[in-house]
Amino acid sequence: MAEEKERVYNFSAGPAMLPREVLETAAKEMLSFRGSGMSFMECSHRGAEFKALYAELQERTRRVLKIPDNYSVLFCAGGATHQFAYIPLNLCGPEDVIDVVQTGNWSKKFAEEAGRYCKINIASKSSDFIPAVETWKLTEGAKFIYFCDNETIHGVEFPEVPKVPEDRILIADMSSNLFSRPVDISKFGLLYACAQKNFGPAGCTLVIVRNDLIVGGPKQADKCPIVGGYELLKKKDSAYNTPPTYNMYIINLVLKWIEETIGGLDKMAEINAKKADLLYKYIDESEHWSGIAKPEFRSRMNIPFRCTHDDMQAKFLEYCKPRGLITLKGYRTMVGSFRASIYNAMPLRGVEKLVEAMKDFERDMKF
Ligand SMILES: Cc1ncc(COP(=O)(O)O)c(C=O)c1O
C-alpha cells in the first residue's frame, strides 16, 4: 500500500485521522459547495443547500448502519459528554434507575453526570475485562442497562451485544467504535457516538433512539434545556437552533467514503480486524512489549500497551516521530504506557510501520 504523502500516521484517540479522500474533497469544495459559490460553512441552516445535504446524510446514515424505521437519527451539537445529561433528562424521571456496567472511565463519567438527574446503580465494576452478564447486579424494576461498547482509555470492547433480560432496554456509548463494524441497532433503545474518532470532526454527536422512548418530549422537561430535547430535535431535523453544519458535511463525506470507497461496514470491519490483529500479534510474540486488556475483550480500535523495559516511553515516542508515527503516548493516568488508536481512517500501512518501528527499536536499544 502507498505511503501517506506529506501526512503523518496519527494514532490519536480523538480527534483522529480522517480519510485523505475526504480532506481532498473538502479542500476542493472549500470555496464553492456544489456550484453554490459558497463554502458549506457559509450556507444557511435554513437554506436549500443544507436541507439537501441533511436529507442525504439522514438517508446515508440509515443505509450504512441499516437503521430500522422506528428509530430517530439525530445529529446533536456538542460532544458525547453532553449526552451523559441529555439521556436521563430525555428518557428518565428522577426516580428511575439506570443500571450501569462500569468497564472504564467513560462509563464511570456517565454514571457521575447521569446520577444528577436519575438514580444510578453500578451493576459491575472492572477495567481490563468485561464481567459475564450473569454476574451483573441488576436492579429490580430498572428500565435501562447502560454500557460503553468500547472503553477508549483501557482498550476494552464488548465482543458482542450483551444478552440481557427481555424487559431491559440497552443504552450504549459507541463513541469509539460506531461505524467500525456492523451493529444490530434493533437490540438497543438508544446508542450514540461523538464523531471525532471514526466518522468526522469533534463537536457533533450522533444519537440513534427508538421512537417510543421519546414520545411526549423529555421526561424531565422542567430541567432539560429545550435545545437538547430529542423529540424536538427529531421534529426540527436536528436544527432547532444553528446546528454544526460543517461537521455534518464532513460526516456525510466520511460515510460516503465508507460506502463507496471501502464497500460498507462488513468490509470496514475486515480491514479494522486486520490492523488490530497485526499489532496484537506482534505485542504477543515479542517479549519486549505487553498488552493491557484481557485478550477476549481487546479493543480493535484502541490498543494500549507497554514496553517491558523500564523508562522507555519518552525514548520510543522520539524514535517514532521521524518515521511519521505520532500521538502514541498512553493515557495520562496509565504511566509509561503507549496507546495506538487505529480507527477507520488509519491505513493498514500505518500499523505496519508501527510494528516495524517496534522491531527496529528493540534492535537499536539492544534489549
Ligand atoms: C467512549 C467515549 N465516550 C465519551 C467520550 C466523550 O466525548 P466528547 O469529548 O466528544 O464529549 C469519549 C471521548 O474520548 C469517549 O472515548
PDB file of all heavy atoms in Angstrom, residues 307-343:
ATOM      1  N   CYS A 307       6.068  -1.166  27.185  1.00  0.00           N
ATOM      2  CA  CYS A 307       7.366  -1.768  26.889  1.00  0.00           C
ATOM      3  C   CYS A 307       7.792  -2.461  28.177  1.00  0.00           C
ATOM      4  O   CYS A 307       7.648  -1.893  29.266  1.00  0.00           O
ATOM      5  CB  CYS A 307       8.368  -0.665  26.518  1.00  0.00           C
ATOM      6  SG  CYS A 307       9.990  -1.324  26.097  1.00  0.00           S
ATOM      7  N   THR A 308       8.253  -3.693  28.073  1.00  0.00           N
ATOM      8  CA  THR A 308       8.581  -4.437  29.297  1.00  0.00           C
ATOM      9  C   THR A 308       9.889  -3.957  29.930  1.00  0.00           C
ATOM     10  O   THR A 308      10.231  -4.374  31.032  1.00  0.00           O
ATOM     11  CB  THR A 308       8.653  -5.952  29.017  1.00  0.00           C
ATOM     12  OG1 THR A 308       9.530  -6.155  27.916  1.00  0.00           O
ATOM     13  CG2 THR A 308       7.295  -6.529  28.690  1.00  0.00           C
ATOM     14  N   HIS A 309      10.610  -3.068  29.264  1.00  0.00           N
ATOM     15  CA  HIS A 309      11.823  -2.474  29.843  1.00  0.00           C
ATOM     16  C   HIS A 309      11.449  -1.107  30.413  1.00  0.00           C
ATOM     17  O   HIS A 309      10.689  -0.373  29.787  1.00  0.00           O
ATOM     18  CB  HIS A 309      12.913  -2.326  28.781  1.00  0.00           C
ATOM     19  CG  HIS A 309      13.233  -3.629  28.123  1.00  0.00           C
ATOM     20  ND1 HIS A 309      14.236  -4.464  28.546  1.00  0.00           N
ATOM     21  CD2 HIS A 309      12.626  -4.269  27.087  1.00  0.00           C
ATOM     22  CE1 HIS A 309      14.243  -5.550  27.788  1.00  0.00           C
ATOM     23  NE2 HIS A 309      13.284  -5.455  26.898  1.00  0.00           N
ATOM     24  N   ASP A 310      11.978  -0.780  31.560  1.00  0.00           N
ATOM     25  CA  ASP A 310      11.574   0.456  32.252  1.00  0.00           C
ATOM     26  C   ASP A 310      11.989   1.725  31.498  1.00  0.00           C
ATOM     27  O   ASP A 310      12.972   1.739  30.765  1.00  0.00           O
ATOM     28  CB  ASP A 310      12.211   0.490  33.649  1.00  0.00           C
ATOM     29  CG  ASP A 310      11.528  -0.516  34.563  1.00  0.00           C
ATOM     30  OD1 ASP A 310      10.397  -0.922  34.237  1.00  0.00           O
ATOM     31  OD2 ASP A 310      12.149  -0.903  35.579  1.00  0.00           O
ATOM     32  N   ASP A 311      11.238   2.786  31.746  1.00  0.00           N
ATOM     33  CA  ASP A 311      11.593   4.135  31.287  1.00  0.00           C
ATOM     34  C   ASP A 311      11.831   4.261  29.784  1.00  0.00           C
ATOM     35  O   ASP A 311      12.720   4.992  29.357  1.00  0.00           O
ATOM     36  CB  ASP A 311      12.861   4.628  32.026  1.00  0.00           C
ATOM     37  CG  ASP A 311      12.623   4.675  33.530  1.00  0.00           C
ATOM     38  OD1 ASP A 311      11.459   4.899  33.897  1.00  0.00           O
ATOM     39  OD2 ASP A 311      13.576   4.450  34.284  1.00  0.00           O
ATOM     40  N   MET A 312      11.076   3.562  29.018  1.00  0.00           N
ATOM     41  CA  MET A 312      11.296   3.602  27.566  1.00  0.00           C
ATOM     42  C   MET A 312      10.279   4.503  26.860  1.00  0.00           C
ATOM     43  O   MET A 312      10.339   4.686  25.659  1.00  0.00           O
ATOM     44  CB  MET A 312      11.203   2.185  26.975  1.00  0.00           C
ATOM     45  CG  MET A 312      12.416   1.348  27.245  1.00  0.00           C
ATOM     46  SD  MET A 312      13.852   2.057  26.414  1.00  0.00           S
ATOM     47  CE  MET A 312      15.142   1.601  27.536  1.00  0.00           C
ATOM     48  N   GLN A 313       9.339   5.058  27.624  1.00  0.00           N
ATOM     49  CA  GLN A 313       8.256   5.784  26.962  1.00  0.00           C
ATOM     50  C   GLN A 313       8.773   6.950  26.111  1.00  0.00           C
ATOM     51  O   GLN A 313       8.519   7.004  24.906  1.00  0.00           O
ATOM     52  CB  GLN A 313       7.239   6.286  27.985  1.00  0.00           C
ATOM     53  CG  GLN A 313       5.972   6.771  27.310  1.00  0.00           C
ATOM     54  CD  GLN A 313       5.071   7.563  28.250  1.00  0.00           C
ATOM     55  OE1 GLN A 313       5.516   8.456  28.953  1.00  0.00           O
ATOM     56  NE2 GLN A 313       3.804   7.212  28.242  1.00  0.00           N
ATOM     57  N   ALA A 314       9.522   7.849  26.750  1.00  0.00           N
ATOM     58  CA  ALA A 314       9.985   9.044  26.018  1.00  0.00           C
ATOM     59  C   ALA A 314      10.872   8.642  24.845  1.00  0.00           C
ATOM     60  O   ALA A 314      10.758   9.195  23.739  1.00  0.00           O
ATOM     61  CB  ALA A 314      10.732   9.971  26.965  1.00  0.00           C
ATOM     62  N   LYS A 315      11.730   7.647  25.065  1.00  0.00           N
ATOM     63  CA  LYS A 315      12.656   7.219  24.000  1.00  0.00           C
ATOM     64  C   LYS A 315      11.903   6.668  22.792  1.00  0.00           C
ATOM     65  O   LYS A 315      12.213   6.980  21.654  1.00  0.00           O
ATOM     66  CB  LYS A 315      13.577   6.120  24.536  1.00  0.00           C
ATOM     67  CG  LYS A 315      14.827   6.661  25.141  1.00  0.00           C
ATOM     68  CD  LYS A 315      15.869   5.569  25.330  1.00  0.00           C
ATOM     69  CE  LYS A 315      16.969   6.156  26.188  1.00  0.00           C
ATOM     70  NZ  LYS A 315      17.385   5.344  27.278  1.00  0.00           N
ATOM     71  N   PHE A 316      10.906   5.831  23.058  1.00  0.00           N
ATOM     72  CA  PHE A 316      10.181   5.229  21.934  1.00  0.00           C
ATOM     73  C   PHE A 316       9.359   6.286  21.193  1.00  0.00           C
ATOM     74  O   PHE A 316       9.291   6.291  19.964  1.00  0.00           O
ATOM     75  CB  PHE A 316       9.302   4.069  22.405  1.00  0.00           C
ATOM     76  CG  PHE A 316       8.616   3.352  21.263  1.00  0.00           C
ATOM     77  CD1 PHE A 316       9.361   2.747  20.254  1.00  0.00           C
ATOM     78  CD2 PHE A 316       7.218   3.295  21.170  1.00  0.00           C
ATOM     79  CE1 PHE A 316       8.738   2.089  19.185  1.00  0.00           C
ATOM     80  CE2 PHE A 316       6.593   2.641  20.107  1.00  0.00           C
ATOM     81  CZ  PHE A 316       7.355   2.040  19.119  1.00  0.00           C
ATOM     82  N   LEU A 317       8.777   7.213  21.930  1.00  0.00           N
ATOM     83  CA  LEU A 317       7.980   8.264  21.274  1.00  0.00           C
ATOM     84  C   LEU A 317       8.878   9.098  20.349  1.00  0.00           C
ATOM     85  O   LEU A 317       8.488   9.416  19.217  1.00  0.00           O
ATOM     86  CB  LEU A 317       7.296   9.162  22.322  1.00  0.00           C
ATOM     87  CG  LEU A 317       6.229   8.465  23.186  1.00  0.00           C
ATOM     88  CD1 LEU A 317       5.718   9.425  24.264  1.00  0.00           C
ATOM     89  CD2 LEU A 317       5.057   7.957  22.351  1.00  0.00           C
ATOM     90  N   GLU A 318      10.077   9.420  20.814  1.00  0.00           N
ATOM     91  CA  GLU A 318      11.021  10.178  20.000  1.00  0.00           C
ATOM     92  C   GLU A 318      11.463   9.371  18.779  1.00  0.00           C
ATOM     93  O   GLU A 318      11.643   9.894  17.688  1.00  0.00           O
ATOM     94  CB  GLU A 318      12.264  10.547  20.833  1.00  0.00           C
ATOM     95  CG  GLU A 318      12.089  11.799  21.668  1.00  0.00           C
ATOM     96  CD  GLU A 318      11.581  12.988  20.862  1.00  0.00           C
ATOM     97  OE1 GLU A 318      12.215  13.338  19.851  1.00  0.00           O
ATOM     98  OE2 GLU A 318      10.520  13.568  21.226  1.00  0.00           O
ATOM     99  N   TYR A 319      11.645   8.075  18.995  1.00  0.00           N
ATOM    100  CA  TYR A 319      12.073   7.155  17.944  1.00  0.00           C
ATOM    101  C   TYR A 319      11.039   7.108  16.804  1.00  0.00           C
ATOM    102  O   TYR A 319      11.381   7.010  15.629  1.00  0.00           O
ATOM    103  CB  TYR A 319      12.237   5.761  18.571  1.00  0.00           C
ATOM    104  CG  TYR A 319      12.936   4.752  17.715  1.00  0.00           C
ATOM    105  CD1 TYR A 319      14.331   4.669  17.683  1.00  0.00           C
ATOM    106  CD2 TYR A 319      12.196   3.854  16.943  1.00  0.00           C
ATOM    107  CE1 TYR A 319      14.969   3.717  16.902  1.00  0.00           C
ATOM    108  CE2 TYR A 319      12.828   2.902  16.161  1.00  0.00           C
ATOM    109  CZ  TYR A 319      14.210   2.841  16.143  1.00  0.00           C
ATOM    110  OH  TYR A 319      14.846   1.905  15.368  1.00  0.00           O
ATOM    111  N   CYS A 320       9.775   7.198  17.200  1.00  0.00           N
ATOM    112  CA  CYS A 320       8.681   7.076  16.217  1.00  0.00           C
ATOM    113  C   CYS A 320       8.486   8.342  15.380  1.00  0.00           C
ATOM    114  O   CYS A 320       8.057   8.268  14.227  1.00  0.00           O
ATOM    115  CB  CYS A 320       7.371   6.752  16.944  1.00  0.00           C
ATOM    116  SG  CYS A 320       7.310   5.041  17.503  1.00  0.00           S
ATOM    117  N   LYS A 321       8.772   9.482  15.995  1.00  0.00           N
ATOM    118  CA  LYS A 321       8.457  10.774  15.346  1.00  0.00           C
ATOM    119  C   LYS A 321       9.011  10.919  13.934  1.00  0.00           C
ATOM    120  O   LYS A 321       8.256  11.223  13.004  1.00  0.00           O
ATOM    121  CB  LYS A 321       8.955  11.919  16.230  1.00  0.00           C
ATOM    122  CG  LYS A 321       7.810  12.685  16.851  1.00  0.00           C
ATOM    123  CD  LYS A 321       8.310  13.974  17.463  1.00  0.00           C
ATOM    124  CE  LYS A 321       7.786  14.068  18.900  1.00  0.00           C
ATOM    125  NZ  LYS A 321       8.580  14.983  19.721  1.00  0.00           N
ATOM    126  N   PRO A 322      10.345  10.730  13.738  1.00  0.00           N
ATOM    127  CA  PRO A 322      10.851  10.908  12.363  1.00  0.00           C
ATOM    128  C   PRO A 322      10.274   9.916  11.361  1.00  0.00           C
ATOM    129  O   PRO A 322      10.370  10.125  10.152  1.00  0.00           O
ATOM    130  CB  PRO A 322      12.373  10.712  12.520  1.00  0.00           C
ATOM    131  CG  PRO A 322      12.599  10.182  13.891  1.00  0.00           C
ATOM    132  CD  PRO A 322      11.386  10.444  14.706  1.00  0.00           C
ATOM    133  N   ARG A 323       9.667   8.852  11.840  1.00  0.00           N
ATOM    134  CA  ARG A 323       9.014   7.894  10.931  1.00  0.00           C
ATOM    135  C   ARG A 323       7.571   8.306  10.631  1.00  0.00           C
ATOM    136  O   ARG A 323       6.823   7.560   9.995  1.00  0.00           O
ATOM    137  CB  ARG A 323       9.005   6.499  11.571  1.00  0.00           C
ATOM    138  CG  ARG A 323      10.399   5.929  11.766  1.00  0.00           C
ATOM    139  CD  ARG A 323      10.359   4.667  12.606  1.00  0.00           C
ATOM    140  NE  ARG A 323      11.704   4.143  12.761  1.00  0.00           N
ATOM    141  CZ  ARG A 323      12.075   2.909  12.411  1.00  0.00           C
ATOM    142  NH1 ARG A 323      11.190   2.068  11.910  1.00  0.00           N
ATOM    143  NH2 ARG A 323      13.307   2.522  12.564  1.00  0.00           N
ATOM    144  N   GLY A 324       7.173   9.462  11.147  1.00  0.00           N
ATOM    145  CA  GLY A 324       5.807   9.942  10.894  1.00  0.00           C
ATOM    146  C   GLY A 324       4.767   9.214  11.715  1.00  0.00           C
ATOM    147  O   GLY A 324       3.585   9.166  11.341  1.00  0.00           O
ATOM    148  N   LEU A 325       5.164   8.663  12.851  1.00  0.00           N
ATOM    149  CA  LEU A 325       4.222   7.944  13.719  1.00  0.00           C
ATOM    150  C   LEU A 325       4.048   8.783  14.988  1.00  0.00           C
ATOM    151  O   LEU A 325       4.979   8.884  15.785  1.00  0.00           O
ATOM    152  CB  LEU A 325       4.766   6.556  14.083  1.00  0.00           C
ATOM    153  CG  LEU A 325       5.222   5.691  12.904  1.00  0.00           C
ATOM    154  CD1 LEU A 325       5.936   4.440  13.386  1.00  0.00           C
ATOM    155  CD2 LEU A 325       4.031   5.318  12.026  1.00  0.00           C
ATOM    156  N   ILE A 326       2.878   9.397  15.136  1.00  0.00           N
ATOM    157  CA  ILE A 326       2.734  10.357  16.248  1.00  0.00           C
ATOM    158  C   ILE A 326       1.525  10.049  17.142  1.00  0.00           C
ATOM    159  O   ILE A 326       0.654   9.270  16.774  1.00  0.00           O
ATOM    160  CB  ILE A 326       2.659  11.814  15.731  1.00  0.00           C
ATOM    161  CG1 ILE A 326       1.344  12.054  14.966  1.00  0.00           C
ATOM    162  CG2 ILE A 326       3.844  12.174  14.847  1.00  0.00           C
ATOM    163  CD1 ILE A 326       0.901  13.510  15.016  1.00  0.00           C
ATOM    164  N   THR A 327       1.519  10.719  18.293  1.00  0.00           N
ATOM    165  CA  THR A 327       0.429  10.620  19.300  1.00  0.00           C
ATOM    166  C   THR A 327       0.257   9.182  19.791  1.00  0.00           C
ATOM    167  O   THR A 327      -0.865   8.661  19.849  1.00  0.00           O
ATOM    168  CB  THR A 327      -0.918  11.199  18.766  1.00  0.00           C
ATOM    169  OG1 THR A 327      -0.683  12.094  17.695  1.00  0.00           O
ATOM    170  CG2 THR A 327      -1.661  11.925  19.860  1.00  0.00           C
ATOM    171  N   LEU A 328       1.359   8.599  20.191  1.00  0.00           N
ATOM    172  CA  LEU A 328       1.325   7.206  20.676  1.00  0.00           C
ATOM    173  C   LEU A 328       1.431   7.118  22.201  1.00  0.00           C
ATOM    174  O   LEU A 328       1.455   6.019  22.757  1.00  0.00           O
ATOM    175  CB  LEU A 328       2.474   6.417  20.035  1.00  0.00           C
ATOM    176  CG  LEU A 328       2.189   5.957  18.606  1.00  0.00           C
ATOM    177  CD1 LEU A 328       3.483   5.685  17.855  1.00  0.00           C
ATOM    178  CD2 LEU A 328       1.299   4.711  18.604  1.00  0.00           C
ATOM    179  N   LYS A 329       1.486   8.274  22.853  1.00  0.00           N
ATOM    180  CA  LYS A 329       1.610   8.260  24.311  1.00  0.00           C
ATOM    181  C   LYS A 329       0.331   7.709  24.937  1.00  0.00           C
ATOM    182  O   LYS A 329      -0.778   8.047  24.506  1.00  0.00           O
ATOM    183  CB  LYS A 329       1.847   9.701  24.786  1.00  0.00           C
ATOM    184  CG  LYS A 329       2.299   9.785  26.216  1.00  0.00           C
ATOM    185  CD  LYS A 329       2.664  11.228  26.534  1.00  0.00           C
ATOM    186  CE  LYS A 329       3.038  11.321  28.000  1.00  0.00           C
ATOM    187  NZ  LYS A 329       3.368  12.663  28.390  1.00  0.00           N
ATOM    188  N   GLY A 330       0.488   6.883  25.967  1.00  0.00           N
ATOM    189  CA  GLY A 330      -0.681   6.316  26.654  1.00  0.00           C
ATOM    190  C   GLY A 330      -1.450   7.386  27.403  1.00  0.00           C
ATOM    191  O   GLY A 330      -0.974   8.521  27.568  1.00  0.00           O
ATOM    192  N   TYR A 331      -2.622   7.038  27.870  1.00  0.00           N
ATOM    193  CA  TYR A 331      -3.462   7.977  28.620  1.00  0.00           C
ATOM    194  C   TYR A 331      -2.722   8.447  29.858  1.00  0.00           C
ATOM    195  O   TYR A 331      -1.956   7.691  30.455  1.00  0.00           O
ATOM    196  CB  TYR A 331      -4.772   7.284  29.008  1.00  0.00           C
ATOM    197  CG  TYR A 331      -5.786   8.219  29.617  1.00  0.00           C
ATOM    198  CD1 TYR A 331      -6.430   9.175  28.844  1.00  0.00           C
ATOM    199  CD2 TYR A 331      -6.100   8.142  30.971  1.00  0.00           C
ATOM    200  CE1 TYR A 331      -7.359  10.040  29.401  1.00  0.00           C
ATOM    201  CE2 TYR A 331      -7.032   9.002  31.541  1.00  0.00           C
ATOM    202  CZ  TYR A 331      -7.663   9.948  30.750  1.00  0.00           C
ATOM    203  OH  TYR A 331      -8.580  10.801  31.313  1.00  0.00           O
ATOM    204  N   ARG A 332      -2.982   9.695  30.274  1.00  0.00           N
ATOM    205  CA  ARG A 332      -2.132  10.316  31.308  1.00  0.00           C
ATOM    206  C   ARG A 332      -2.052   9.543  32.618  1.00  0.00           C
ATOM    207  O   ARG A 332      -1.035   9.592  33.299  1.00  0.00           O
ATOM    208  CB  ARG A 332      -2.522  11.775  31.534  1.00  0.00           C
ATOM    209  CG  ARG A 332      -3.955  11.997  31.918  1.00  0.00           C
ATOM    210  CD  ARG A 332      -4.310  13.484  31.759  1.00  0.00           C
ATOM    211  NE  ARG A 332      -5.670  13.654  31.294  1.00  0.00           N
ATOM    212  CZ  ARG A 332      -6.742  13.684  32.075  1.00  0.00           C
ATOM    213  NH1 ARG A 332      -6.621  13.561  33.365  1.00  0.00           N
ATOM    214  NH2 ARG A 332      -7.942  13.825  31.571  1.00  0.00           N
ATOM    215  N   THR A 333      -3.103   8.815  32.984  1.00  0.00           N
ATOM    216  CA  THR A 333      -3.029   8.082  34.264  1.00  0.00           C
ATOM    217  C   THR A 333      -2.385   6.696  34.091  1.00  0.00           C
ATOM    218  O   THR A 333      -2.117   6.014  35.062  1.00  0.00           O
ATOM    219  CB  THR A 333      -4.428   7.894  34.889  1.00  0.00           C
ATOM    220  OG1 THR A 333      -5.245   7.230  33.935  1.00  0.00           O
ATOM    221  CG2 THR A 333      -5.037   9.217  35.287  1.00  0.00           C
ATOM    222  N   MET A 334      -2.178   6.283  32.853  1.00  0.00           N
ATOM    223  CA  MET A 334      -1.563   4.972  32.627  1.00  0.00           C
ATOM    224  C   MET A 334      -0.066   5.192  32.369  1.00  0.00           C
ATOM    225  O   MET A 334       0.409   5.149  31.234  1.00  0.00           O
ATOM    226  CB  MET A 334      -2.258   4.240  31.474  1.00  0.00           C
ATOM    227  CG  MET A 334      -3.679   3.840  31.878  1.00  0.00           C
ATOM    228  SD  MET A 334      -4.696   3.335  30.516  1.00  0.00           S
ATOM    229  CE  MET A 334      -4.316   1.623  30.423  1.00  0.00           C
ATOM    230  N   VAL A 335       0.635   5.451  33.452  1.00  0.00           N
ATOM    231  CA  VAL A 335       2.014   5.923  33.394  1.00  0.00           C
ATOM    232  C   VAL A 335       2.919   4.958  32.617  1.00  0.00           C
ATOM    233  O   VAL A 335       2.889   3.750  32.837  1.00  0.00           O
ATOM    234  CB  VAL A 335       2.565   6.122  34.831  1.00  0.00           C
ATOM    235  CG1 VAL A 335       4.000   6.635  34.820  1.00  0.00           C
ATOM    236  CG2 VAL A 335       1.656   7.078  35.594  1.00  0.00           C
ATOM    237  N   GLY A 336       3.715   5.538  31.707  1.00  0.00           N
ATOM    238  CA  GLY A 336       4.695   4.747  30.975  1.00  0.00           C
ATOM    239  C   GLY A 336       4.123   3.938  29.819  1.00  0.00           C
ATOM    240  O   GLY A 336       4.845   3.232  29.134  1.00  0.00           O
ATOM    241  N   SER A 337       2.829   4.071  29.586  1.00  0.00           N
ATOM    242  CA  SER A 337       2.229   3.213  28.551  1.00  0.00           C
ATOM    243  C   SER A 337       2.150   3.928  27.191  1.00  0.00           C
ATOM    244  O   SER A 337       2.391   5.129  27.081  1.00  0.00           O
ATOM    245  CB  SER A 337       0.839   2.770  28.983  1.00  0.00           C
ATOM    246  OG  SER A 337      -0.032   3.884  28.951  1.00  0.00           O
ATOM    247  N   PHE A 338       1.790   3.154  26.205  1.00  0.00           N
ATOM    248  CA  PHE A 338       1.520   3.673  24.860  1.00  0.00           C
ATOM    249  C   PHE A 338       0.078   3.331  24.512  1.00  0.00           C
ATOM    250  O   PHE A 338      -0.512   2.428  25.107  1.00  0.00           O
ATOM    251  CB  PHE A 338       2.454   3.011  23.839  1.00  0.00           C
ATOM    252  CG  PHE A 338       3.896   3.182  24.195  1.00  0.00           C
ATOM    253  CD1 PHE A 338       4.590   2.184  24.863  1.00  0.00           C
ATOM    254  CD2 PHE A 338       4.556   4.366  23.896  1.00  0.00           C
ATOM    255  CE1 PHE A 338       5.914   2.354  25.213  1.00  0.00           C
ATOM    256  CE2 PHE A 338       5.882   4.549  24.249  1.00  0.00           C
ATOM    257  CZ  PHE A 338       6.567   3.543  24.912  1.00  0.00           C
ATOM    258  N   ARG A 339      -0.472   4.069  23.559  1.00  0.00           N
ATOM    259  CA  ARG A 339      -1.800   3.696  23.049  1.00  0.00           C
ATOM    260  C   ARG A 339      -1.839   4.009  21.567  1.00  0.00           C
ATOM    261  O   ARG A 339      -1.601   5.152  21.155  1.00  0.00           O
ATOM    262  CB  ARG A 339      -2.911   4.450  23.779  1.00  0.00           C
ATOM    263  CG  ARG A 339      -4.286   4.154  23.174  1.00  0.00           C
ATOM    264  CD  ARG A 339      -5.425   4.751  23.968  1.00  0.00           C
ATOM    265  NE  ARG A 339      -5.219   6.153  24.301  1.00  0.00           N
ATOM    266  CZ  ARG A 339      -6.162   6.949  24.797  1.00  0.00           C
ATOM    267  NH1 ARG A 339      -7.371   6.465  25.025  1.00  0.00           N
ATOM    268  NH2 ARG A 339      -5.907   8.214  25.067  1.00  0.00           N
ATOM    269  N   ALA A 340      -2.152   2.992  20.788  1.00  0.00           N
ATOM    270  CA  ALA A 340      -2.320   3.187  19.353  1.00  0.00           C
ATOM    271  C   ALA A 340      -3.814   3.139  19.058  1.00  0.00           C
ATOM    272  O   ALA A 340      -4.446   2.096  19.215  1.00  0.00           O
ATOM    273  CB  ALA A 340      -1.590   2.082  18.586  1.00  0.00           C
ATOM    274  N   SER A 341      -4.378   4.270  18.678  1.00  0.00           N
ATOM    275  CA  SER A 341      -5.782   4.280  18.260  1.00  0.00           C
ATOM    276  C   SER A 341      -5.797   4.131  16.749  1.00  0.00           C
ATOM    277  O   SER A 341      -5.188   4.941  16.037  1.00  0.00           O
ATOM    278  CB  SER A 341      -6.456   5.582  18.702  1.00  0.00           C
ATOM    279  OG  SER A 341      -6.476   5.631  20.113  1.00  0.00           O
ATOM    280  N   ILE A 342      -6.444   3.072  16.308  1.00  0.00           N
ATOM    281  CA  ILE A 342      -6.369   2.737  14.875  1.00  0.00           C
ATOM    282  C   ILE A 342      -7.784   2.685  14.296  1.00  0.00           C
ATOM    283  O   ILE A 342      -8.273   1.650  13.887  1.00  0.00           O
ATOM    284  CB  ILE A 342      -5.589   1.418  14.661  1.00  0.00           C
ATOM    285  CG1 ILE A 342      -6.123   0.275  15.537  1.00  0.00           C
ATOM    286  CG2 ILE A 342      -4.118   1.626  14.980  1.00  0.00           C
ATOM    287  CD1 ILE A 342      -5.501  -1.088  15.221  1.00  0.00           C
ATOM    288  N   TYR A 343      -8.406   3.861  14.295  1.00  0.00           N
ATOM    289  CA  TYR A 343      -9.781   3.984  13.820  1.00  0.00           C
ATOM    290  C   TYR A 343      -9.852   3.770  12.303  1.00  0.00           C
ATOM    291  O   TYR A 343      -8.831   3.583  11.630  1.00  0.00           O
ATOM    292  CB  TYR A 343     -10.319   5.369  14.177  1.00  0.00           C
ATOM    293  CG  TYR A 343     -10.330   5.667  15.670  1.00  0.00           C
ATOM    294  CD1 TYR A 343      -9.643   6.763  16.185  1.00  0.00           C
ATOM    295  CD2 TYR A 343     -11.039   4.865  16.564  1.00  0.00           C
ATOM    296  CE1 TYR A 343      -9.680   7.064  17.546  1.00  0.00           C
ATOM    297  CE2 TYR A 343     -11.079   5.158  17.923  1.00  0.00           C
ATOM    298  CZ  TYR A 343     -10.389   6.251  18.403  1.00  0.00           C
ATOM    299  OH  TYR A 343     -10.416   6.540  19.745  1.00  0.00           O
TER     300      TYR A 343
END
